[in-house]
Amino acid sequence: MSIELLTLVLVASLVVMLMAGQWTSFALGICGVLVLYLSKGVLGLTALSSVIWNNANSYILIAIPMFLLMGEIILRSGVSGYFYRGVVVLLGRLPGGLLHANIASCAVFAAVSGSSVATAATVGTVAIPEMLSRGYEPKTVFGSIAAGGTLGILIPPSIIMVLYGALVEESIARLFMAGIVPGLLMAITFMIFIAVLLLIKPHYAPPRSAPGDKPRLGEVLHVFPVLGLLMVVLGSIYAGLATPTEASALGAAGAIVLATGYGRFSRRIFGEALMATVKTTCMVVLIIIGAQILSTGLTYSGVSRGVSEWVMGLGLGKWEFFLALVVLYVVLGFFVDGISMIYMTLPVLLPVVQAFGFDLIWFGIVLTVLIELGQITPPVGLNLFAIHAISGGRKFSEVAIGSAPYVFLMLLGILALCLWPGIALWLPTTMRG
C-alpha cells in the first residue's frame, strides 16, 4: 500500500473513531495496529510487545503519579484552602484584590499540583462562592480562575513537560527550569490585564472597604509551607541534588508532612488521594501506550518520513512553518486534550521541527503554552468545564466569555518567546549538575 493511501486510511480511521466517542487511547492504539498490519502484515504486530513494555516500564514516567499524589494530598487535606486565604490577605487590599489573589494562588498551586484542571478546581472551589457573595462580576471571576489554572502545566513541575521530555528525549530538569520564567511572566501579564480592566470598569469589583474584607494577618503564615515545599522540589532539581523523578517522590512525602502538620492527614484522605492518582495515571499511561503504538506504525510504514518530506517540499520558511504549526495546535485545542495532542502530532512533526533548527527545550515551552490555550477554548476546554461545574449553576457561556481575553494574552506570550527565546532558555543554562 502506498504511503499516500496509508496516510488517508490512518487519518480517516482516527477521525471516525474520535467523532464516534472512542477513548483517545484506544483510537490511537487501534490506528497504530491498523497501520502496522497494512504496511508490514502480521510480522509488523510483533513490535507491539516491546512498545507496551518499554513505555509501561519507564523510569522517567514514575514522576507522573508522584507529582499527582503530591497535588491530591494538598488538595484533599485542605492545605490548599489555607494557602489561598493567606494569599488573599497579601493581595486582597489591591483594587480587585481577590482577582489578583486568584492568579497568584493558581501560579503557586500549579507548581505544587502540576495539573491545570486540578489547579482551577482547587482555587475555584474556595474563591468562587466568596467572590460572588462580595459582588465581583461573574465572568471576570470565572475567567481569572480558568486562565490562572492553565499555569498548572507551564510552571513546574508539569505533567505535560514530563511527557514531552520523555517523547523527544530531552532533559526534563531543563524543561522544568525553562518553564519558570515564562510561567511567572504569564502570571504577571494576567494580573496587569486585570488591573487595566478594573481601571476601565471599576464596577467589576467591590470597593476595597467592602464589609468583611478586614485582613487577618496571621493567615499570611499559611503561604509559607506550600512555598517551602515548592522550593524543596524545584531547588533540589536546579541544584542537581535530585532528578525530577526523585524530586517527585520528595514532593509527595513533603505533602504528607504538610497535611500531617495541619492535622488534616488521615487514612481516608490518603486513600482518596491514592485512588485519584491511580485513575489519572492509568488514563495518561493508556494514552501514552496507544500513541506510541501509533508512532511505531508511522515510523515502520514510512508515513512519518513521507509527511516530513512533503512539508519540507512546500518551501515554507522557518517562521512560516512555525505560524502554521501554531494555527494547527490552536485548532486541535478546540477538540483534543493536551496529552493526546502531543502524542498525535509530535511523532510526525518532530523531524520537521528539528530540520528547521528549533531548540527542543524552547519548542517544548511554546507547545506547553499552546496546550494551555486549548484548556480555555470551547468546546473541549477542560478548565472551562471544571469552573462551570463549581460555578453555582451559571451559564457555560459566562465562563467561556470571561476566559476569552486570556487566549490573546497567551498568544502574546508565544510572540514574546519568539522574539526573546532567552526568556525560556536562560535559566536552564545556569543549572548545576
Side-chain angles (χ1 to χ4, degrees):
M1 183 178 290
S2 66
I3 292 178
E4 292 80 5
L5 183 56
L6 196 58
T7 304
L8 180 61
V9 171
L10 168 64
V11 173
S13 302
L14 188 58
V15 169
V16 168
M17 280 190 281
L18 291 176
M19 291 185 66
Q22 178 62 272
W23 288 2
T24 303
S25 54
F26 290 125
L28 295 174
I30 291 169
C31 286
V33 171
L34 181 63
V35 169
L36 281 171
Y37 180 76
L38 292 177
S39 60
K40 300 293 183 180
V42 176
L43 186 62
L45 302 182
T46 58
L48 294 177
S49 58
S50 60
V51 170
I52 294 172
W53 171 255
N54 289 337
N55 285 280
N57 196 39
S58 171
Y59 171 75
I60 294 175
L61 297 182
I62 295 174
I64 294 176
M66 289 293 99
F67 282 133
L68 287 172
L69 180 61
M70 178 173 67
E72 288 290 341
I73 291 173
I74 294 292
L75 166 62
R76 295 177 183 275
S77 65
V79 173
S80 57
Y82 288 108
F83 171 78
Y84 178 77
R85 287 192 288 273
V87 175
V88 167
V89 174
L90 285 175
L91 302 178
R93 304 303 293 175
L94 297 174
L98 295 190
L99 294 171
H100 296 297
N102 289 345
I103 301 298
S105 299
C106 285
V108 176
F109 187 71
V112 176
S113 71
S115 168
S116 176
V117 177
T119 299
T122 301
V123 176
T125 300
V126 179
I128 289 175
E130 175 76 9
M131 296 182 72
L132 294 183
S133 68
R134 295 190 183 200
Y136 282 84
E137 201 278 328
K139 290 193 292 291
T140 308
V141 174
F142 301 148
S144 68
I145 300 174
T150 63
L151 299 170
I153 55 176
L154 182 57
I155 298 178
S158 165
I159 304 303
I160 292 294
M161 289 183 188
V162 173
L163 297 175
Y164 173 83
L167 183 60
V168 304
E169 298 181 351
E170 272 290 350
S171 166
I172 294 172
R174 291 185 66 213
L175 281 166
F176 279 3
M177 295 303 112
I180 291 177
V181 175
L184 294 177
L185 288 178
M186 193 75 72
I188 292 170
T189 302
F190 290 173
M191 295 174 75
I192 292 173
F193 165 75
I194 288 171
V196 172
L197 178 65
L198 291 177
L199 284 175
I200 299 172
K201 298 183 177 181
H203 60 281
Y204 275 17
R208 278 177 283 179
S209 59
D213 201 25
K214 295 180 181 180
R216 297 169 297 279
L217 297 180
E219 294 190 349
V220 174
L221 298 177
H222 295 305
V223 172
F224 297 106
V226 175
L227 284 179
L229 177 61
L230 172 61
M231 295 301 295
V232 168
V233 171
L234 294 183
S236 63
I237 297 174
Y238 179 80
L241 300 175
T243 66
T245 302
E246 293 165 345
S248 68
L250 188 63
I256 293 175
V257 171
L258 281 188
T260 303
Y262 275 95
R264 303 296 299 270
F265 188 72
S266 66
R267 182 179 298 179
R268 178 184 61 82
I269 287 174
F270 188 52
E272 290 176 353
L274 284 175
M275 185 58 68
T277 299
V278 169
K279 288 180 179 179
T280 305
T281 302
C282 288
M283 178 196 72
V284 171
V285 171
L286 278 175
I287 291 176
I288 291 173
I289 291 174
Q292 290 289 28
I293 291 173
L294 177 59
S295 177
T296 302
L298 293 175
T299 302
Y300 280 21
S301 65
V303 170
S304 294
R305 183 180 66 255
V307 172
S308 300
E309 292 173 351
W310 175 75
V311 172
M312 297 300 293
L314 293 176
L316 296 175
K318 178 178 180 178
W319 295 108
E320 290 173 326
F321 166 74
F322 179 77
L323 180 60
L325 209 59
V326 169
V327 173
L328 170 66
Y329 278 112
V330 169
V331 173
L332 282 176
F334 292 153
F335 309 103
V336 183
D337 67 274
I339 296 174
S340 303
M341 202 186 306
I342 286 179
Y343 278 91
M344 286 171 57
T345 58
L346 276 186
V348 176
L349 294 176
L350 185 60
V352 186
V353 171
Q354 291 175 307
F356 275 110
F358 289 106
D359 185 283
L360 291 185
I361 295 291
W362 176 88
F363 182 73
I365 302 305
V366 171
L367 181 58
T368 301
V369 176
L370 288 169
I371 291 172
E372 280 186 332
L373 194 152
Q375 299 283 79
I376 56 172
T377 51
V380 191
L382 296 181
N383 281 23
L384 301 183
F385 287 109
I387 298 302
H388 180 248
I390 56 178
S391 65
R394 296 279 181 167
K395 294 181 180 178
F396 181 80
S397 59
E398 287 187 278
V399 184
I401 292 171
S403 304
Y406 297 93
V407 172
F408 298 100
L409 295 178
M410 290 181 188
L411 291 174
L412 284 177
I414 292 174
L415 178 61
L417 284 168
C418 294
L419 296 175
W420 301 288
I423 293 173
L425 297 179
W426 167 74
L427 191 57
T429 63
T430 67
M431 292 176 63
R432 299 174 182 269

